[in-house]
Amino acid sequence: MTALLEMKQKLKNFYGQNEGYLTPIFKFALAFGYFWWIRTELGMMERLANPFVLIITALLCSILPSNAIMWIGFLFILGHCYAVGAAVAGFVAALLLLMVILGLRFSGKYNLIFPLTPLGVTCKLSALVPIGSGLLGNPVAAVPVGCSVVFYYLIEFIKEQEAILRSEDMEIQRALKLLMDGLVKNQDMWMFLITFVGVLLLVYLIRTRSFDYAWRVAIIVGAVVYLFMMLAGGLFLGLEVEMVFLAASTILSALIGVALEFFAFGGDYTRTEHLEYEDDDYFYYVKAVPKVSISTSKRKIKKINGVSQKTGEIPNLQEQEQPMPRQAAPQGAQVDFEKKLEESLKDL
């Protein structure tokens, strides 16, 4: 445990010293991964699918605010949808505008979850999205989570129906009806939407309680509820659910959640203190949980002993010790003390 705490403190110190360099790198990696996912799923417009364009845009996002990743991603999605058809681009633009007006403009910094959700689902760690959002966020994070789930399945539907939507005899009304039915009647989307939002709110509710180990209990309960809701939803809706793969993915997501708890919270419940005080109007009962921390020393202590590194034997100091040679005083420097005493007595 001490080694982990030392590693945590070193990572915090390293990030604090190099924050100006590491933050743009993380933003670039997230932006490039999100834009590459859009290219993989859609990729209808060749100019926007150019990897060089993705790299330049990701570099631009690394110096812009974090929400720029979501907004520029919207432009990529609209561009690829326009390559499919004007009706598809219009439907996607209207849905985006509705999401922004009703929710995304209020969620603020939690809009970064929007590009993280499709990446988590693509990496087969879908349970990590609601668990992590509940640990590090608040109920407002449910807005970008829900919107990202809807958009993920909309992009999947456009990818599947690309040939039909591109056909020349496809009218605008038929295309809009096809998109609306594909979104509203998608049972997978509703199951994921309800599960994600429900697990996020449950994890947040538990981890904000005052009992000991609330964060870890929230992770375990969130993982169990996610697994139960996915299995129950699959059985109820008649969907195929790979139980073994789903269980393994949920357990791995829970372990990553424990790592998030260690780095983001890391409370030491063994040293919990309960404080009580009052003022003129209220009584206050406070529970203080100190953070687990350890101080790392930068000093290096070098041990020196008398053991020889080659033989491992202690050297015999008596044999090596040699008497210092006595230097004889020069003859001209000898002093006659009796003569000096007689001269001093004569003066008296």
Side-chain angles (χ1 to χ4, degrees):
M1 188 63 180
T2 304
L4 293 176
L5 293 175
E6 291 180 354
M7 181 189 67
K8 174 184 175 180
Q9 190 63 35
K10 290 180 180 179
L11 289 176
K12 290 176 63 177
N13 295 337
F14 178 77
Y15 183 80
Q17 296 174 358
N18 303 277
E19 183 178 1
Y21 302 100
L22 295 178
T23 301
I25 293 175
F26 293 150
K27 291 165 65 175
F28 169 80
L30 176 60
F32 183 76
Y34 181 51
F35 299 155
W36 189 267
W37 173 79
I38 295 174
R39 176 186 182 274
T40 304
E41 296 297 321
L42 297 176
M44 289 80 172
M45 184 174 288
E46 295 182 358
R47 294 180 180 178
L48 295 180
N50 191 337
F52 183 75
V53 175
L54 301 183
I55 294 175
I56 296 299
T57 311
L59 288 174
L60 181 63
C61 291
S62 65
I63 60 176
L64 293 176
S66 300
N67 287 338
I69 299 175
M70 181 187 69
W71 298 110
I72 295 178
F74 288 165
L75 297 178
F76 275 103
I77 293 173
L78 288 174
H80 290 298
C81 291
Y82 183 79
V84 179
V88 178
F91 180 84
V92 172
L95 183 61
L96 280 175
L97 183 61
L98 184 63
M99 289 181 178
V100 171
I101 293 175
L102 296 181
L104 290 178
R105 68 190 183 100
F106 301 109
S107 50
K109 61 180 181 179
Y110 297 114
N111 286 337
L112 195 63
I113 300 175
F114 198 97
L116 286 173
T117 300
L119 295 179
V121 176
T122 303
C123 295
K124 308 303 180 182
L125 294 174
S126 55
L128 182 60
V129 175
I131 293 176
S133 301
L135 291 176
L136 305 179
N138 57 35
V140 179
V143 175
V145 168
C147 294
S148 60
V149 170
V150 173
F151 234 79
Y152 174 82
Y153 279 95
L154 176 61
I155 292 175
E156 291 290 331
F157 181 77
I158 294 174
K159 178 182 178 182
E160 294 175 358
Q161 304 296 328
E162 178 187 358
I164 299 176
L165 294 171
R166 278 180 177 271
S167 61
E168 298 179 356
D169 57 345
M170 175 61 66
E171 300 177 356
I172 296 179
Q173 295 180 352
R174 289 181 55 195
L176 295 178
K177 186 178 184 304
L178 179 63
L179 292 171
M180 183 63 69
D181 292 341
L183 194 63
V184 175
K185 297 180 180 180
N186 193 329
Q187 296 179 345
D188 285 349
M189 184 196 73
W190 291 110
M191 182 179 68
F192 267 86
L193 179 62
I194 295 173
T195 303
F196 274 39
V197 175
V199 171
L200 186 153
L201 297 177
L202 180 63
V203 170
Y204 172 79
L205 180 65
I206 295 176
R207 70 99 174 167
T208 53
R209 301 306 93 191
S210 61
F211 60 86
D212 293 350
Y213 304 100
W215 282 60
R216 297 178 186 177
V217 173
I219 295 171
I220 296 174
V221 173
V224 172
V225 171
Y226 176 86
L227 185 61
F228 173 78
M229 293 184 68
M230 292 297 294
L231 293 176
L235 293 176
F236 180 76
L237 298 176
L239 303 176
E240 295 183 2
V241 178
E242 299 180 2
M243 297 182 60
V244 177
F245 180 79
L246 179 63
S249 174
T250 305
I251 293 173
L252 182 58
S253 300
L255 294 177
I256 298 177
V258 173
L260 289 176
E261 185 267 341
F262 176 74
F263 285 99
F265 179 69
D268 187 3
Y269 288 100
T270 60
R271 297 188 291 122
T272 302
E273 298 180 4
H274 296 272
L275 308 176
E276 299 181 11
Y277 56 95
E278 62 178 292
D279 57 12
D280 295 337
D281 299 321
Y282 295 96
F283 293 96
Y284 300 91
Y285 301 91
V286 180
K287 178 181 179 180
V289 181
K291 293 183 178 180
V292 180
S293 61
I294 186 171
S295 59
T296 57
S297 177
K298 296 182 179 180
R299 297 180 180 178
K300 295 183 179 180
I301 301 175
K302 185 177 181 180
K303 296 182 179 180
I304 301 176
N305 52 26
V307 181
S308 176
Q309 296 181 354
K310 294 183 179 180
T311 61
E313 298 178 354
I314 300 177
N316 190 352
L317 300 180
Q318 295 180 355
E319 295 179 358
Q320 296 180 359
E321 185 177 355
Q322 298 179 358
M324 296 291 293
R326 300 179 61 183
Q327 297 180 355
Q331 296 180 358
Q334 294 180 356
V335 180
D336 191 352
F337 292 99
E338 294 180 358
K339 186 177 181 180
K340 290 287 185 181
L341 181 59
E342 291 178 357
E343 292 178 357
S344 61
L345 292 175
K346 289 179 181 181
D347 296 335
L348 293 176

